[in-house]
């Protein structure tokens, strides 16, 4: 797989692997298949593995840590803090400096590593000045516990303030054909002005762009997407029509809809490193195949016409209050 550079000097594979769904949110977990998927990803040249303390909660970091124990030097390990999960199941956003330190120490222990390669603030805590949170994160770098820092779902002004406190290597935000917010809200322009890498999560629209979801009944009963506005009622039907257009482009090119969606993102710039998530080897291999897909100018035009900015029906989350702050 080709490589790309996030920020000034973090070299990673052009496509990473999102590990969240291996432990939670997307139906039944299968640890053996998840570990096999991680191993196959590394074999295929995928170096960037993405997890977070809140996935599981806590168990996804342990899973990733076990999977890479014998191959630590082959991967760039990214995890996150700030979406705090409580024993009663409730959640909160925590950016307090003391929490930054305790969360990092807990993640290091669960991952079974001495250093985290890329440590993200998962969500912005509006009750704590971002300079205070990032001051603590900078201390982690100085202590040798973390190599690079990132931030997720932050607004342009917040990105600038954090970057002024300590250089940001990567901004992680949802970006795909059906979520083109970064192109509108100034986030993409801001990271490029500052020389920050962009890591799109959910680059396949939570699986919708794969074309494999044709009914809400295709999702398991405990799949969190059932509560997502884009997967409900008239929104679902409208979004299916959009995906059918991508299917047509993919069929004409002899590739899959997922590969078209990923190739479109990869065409957006050398600073873009999408992290499609999967818990199955077969889907991983399909996604990695997008690295070899080159879209022509005419195909890119067709895609843009099929999926213009703002065309997707429904909000990204049932509650959008915790994003882009």
């Amino acid at each position: 797989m080709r490589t790309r550079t996030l920020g000034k000097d973090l070299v990673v594979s052009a496509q990473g692997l999102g590990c969240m769904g291996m432990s939670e949110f997307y139906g039944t977990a299968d640890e053996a298949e998840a570990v096999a998927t991680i191993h196959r990803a590394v074999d295929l040249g995928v170096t960037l593995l993405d997890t977070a303390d809140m996935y599981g909660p806590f168990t996804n970091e342990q899973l990733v840590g076990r999977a890479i124990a014998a191959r630590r030097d082959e991967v760039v390990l990214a995890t996150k803090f700030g979406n705090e999960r409580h024993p009663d199941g409730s959640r909160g956003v925590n950016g307090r400096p003391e929490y930054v330190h305790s969360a990092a120490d807990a993640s290091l222990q669960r991952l079974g590593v001495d250093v985290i390669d890329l440590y993200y603030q998962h969500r912005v805590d509006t009750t704590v000045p971002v300079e205070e949170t990032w001051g603590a994160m900078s201390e982690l770098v100085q202590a040798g516990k973390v190599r690079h820092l990132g931030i997720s779902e932050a607004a342009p002004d917040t990105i600038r303030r954090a970057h002024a406190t300590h250089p940001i290597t990567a901004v992680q935000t949802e970006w795909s054909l059906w979520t083109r917010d970064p192109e509108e809200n100034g986030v993409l322009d801001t990271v490029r002005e500052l020389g920050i890498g962009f890591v799109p999560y959910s680059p396949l629209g939570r699986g919708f762009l794969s074309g494999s979801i044709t009914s809400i009944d295709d999702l398991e009963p405990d799949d969190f997407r059932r509560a997502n506005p884009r997967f409900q009622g008239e929104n679902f039907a409208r979004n299916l029509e959009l995906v059918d257009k991508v299917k047509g482009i993919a069929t004409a090119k002899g590739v899959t809809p997922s590969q078209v969606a990923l190739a479109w993102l990869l065409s957006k710039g050398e600073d873009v490193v999408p992290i499609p998530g999967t818990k199955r080897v077969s889907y991983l291999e399909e996604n990695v195949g997008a690295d070899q897909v080159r879209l022509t100018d005419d195909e890119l035009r067709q895609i843009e016409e099929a999926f213009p900015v703002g065309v997707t029906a429904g909000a990204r989350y049932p509650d959008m209050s915790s994003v882009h702050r």
Side-chain angles (χ1 to χ4, degrees), residues 182-194:
E183 300 169 60
E184 293 187 289
N185 58 23
V187 169
L188 187 59
D189 289 340
T190 300
V191 299
R192 288 188 164 155
E193 176 191 335
L194 299 175

Side-chain angles (χ1 to χ4, degrees), residues 178-208:
W178 87 335
T179 297
R180 301 188 60 177
D181 303 22
E183 300 169 60
E184 293 187 289
N185 58 23
V187 169
L188 187 59
D189 289 340
T190 300
V191 299
R192 288 188 164 155
E193 176 191 335
L194 299 175
I196 299 169
F198 199 106
V199 178
Y201 73 85
S202 294
L204 298 178
R206 307 192 188 284
F208 209 103

Side-chain angles (χ1 to χ4, degrees), residues 19-25 51-61 85 91:
C19 299
M20 179 184 78
M22 296 176 179
S23 299
E24 192 180 17
F25 301 111
T51 181
D53 57 6
M54 66 92 68
Y55 301 158
F58 313 122
T59 56
N60 194 245
E61 287 183 323
R85 299 279 291 265
R91 304 181 191 181

Side-chain angles (χ1 to χ4, degrees), residues 155-227:
D157 183 60
T158 304
I159 293 170
R160 292 181 186 280
R161 290 166 56 195
H163 188 67
T165 305
H166 185 101
I168 299 177
T169 294
V171 167
Q172 184 175 139
T173 292
E174 186 172 352
W175 188 20
S176 68
L177 278 173
W178 87 335
T179 297
R180 301 188 60 177
D181 303 22
E183 300 169 60
E184 293 187 289
N185 58 23
V187 169
L188 187 59
D189 289 340
T190 300
V191 299
R192 288 188 164 155
E193 176 191 335
L194 299 175
I196 299 169
F198 199 106
V199 178
Y201 73 85
S202 294
L204 298 178
R206 307 192 188 284
F208 209 103
L209 293 171
S210 70
S212 62
I213 302 171
T214 58
S215 164
I216 196 68
D217 294 327
D218 290 335
L219 306 178
E220 295 184 38
D222 61 343
D223 192 308
F224 92 108
R225 289 172 290 184
R226 285 179 171 269

Side-chain angles (χ1 to χ4, degrees), residues 224-300:
F224 92 108
R225 289 172 290 184
R226 285 179 171 269
N228 188 294
R230 294 183 173 180
F231 285 78
Q232 297 177 341
E234 293 182 2
N235 290 344
F236 189 97
R238 171 59 180 150
N239 293 332
L240 274 181
E241 294 175 4
L242 298 173
V243 172
D244 283 342
K245 297 179 181 179
V246 177
K247 284 183 178 179
I249 296 169
T251 299
K253 194 170 182 64
V255 298
T256 69
S258 293
Q259 290 170 339
V260 165
L262 289 170
W264 174 82
L265 260 182
L266 289 166
S267 76
K268 287 297 184 177
E270 290 296 313
D271 54 350
V272 178
V273 179
I275 50 168
T278 184
K279 53 185 178 180
R280 296 184 178 89
V281 171
S282 59
Y283 291 157
L284 166 79
E285 292 176 340
E286 177 185 350
N287 293 343
V288 168
D291 189 55
Q292 302 301 316
V293 177
R294 303 293 184 270
L295 298 170
T296 66
D297 290 343
D298 185 58
E299 288 164 344
L300 288 169

Side-chain angles (χ1 to χ4, degrees), residues 9 17 20 26 61 73 95 100 131 149 194 221 244 278 280 318:
D9 58 3
L17 173 62
M20 179 184 78
Y26 288 91
E61 287 183 323
D73 294 340
V100 173
E131 292 83 357
L149 300 181
L194 299 175
D244 283 342
T278 184
R280 296 184 178 89

Side-chain angles (χ1 to χ4, degrees), residues 135-149:
M137 294 170 70
S138 182
E139 291 170 356
L140 295 175
V141 176
Q142 294 167 17
K145 296 180 179 181
V146 171
R147 291 193 172 105
H148 299 269
L149 300 181

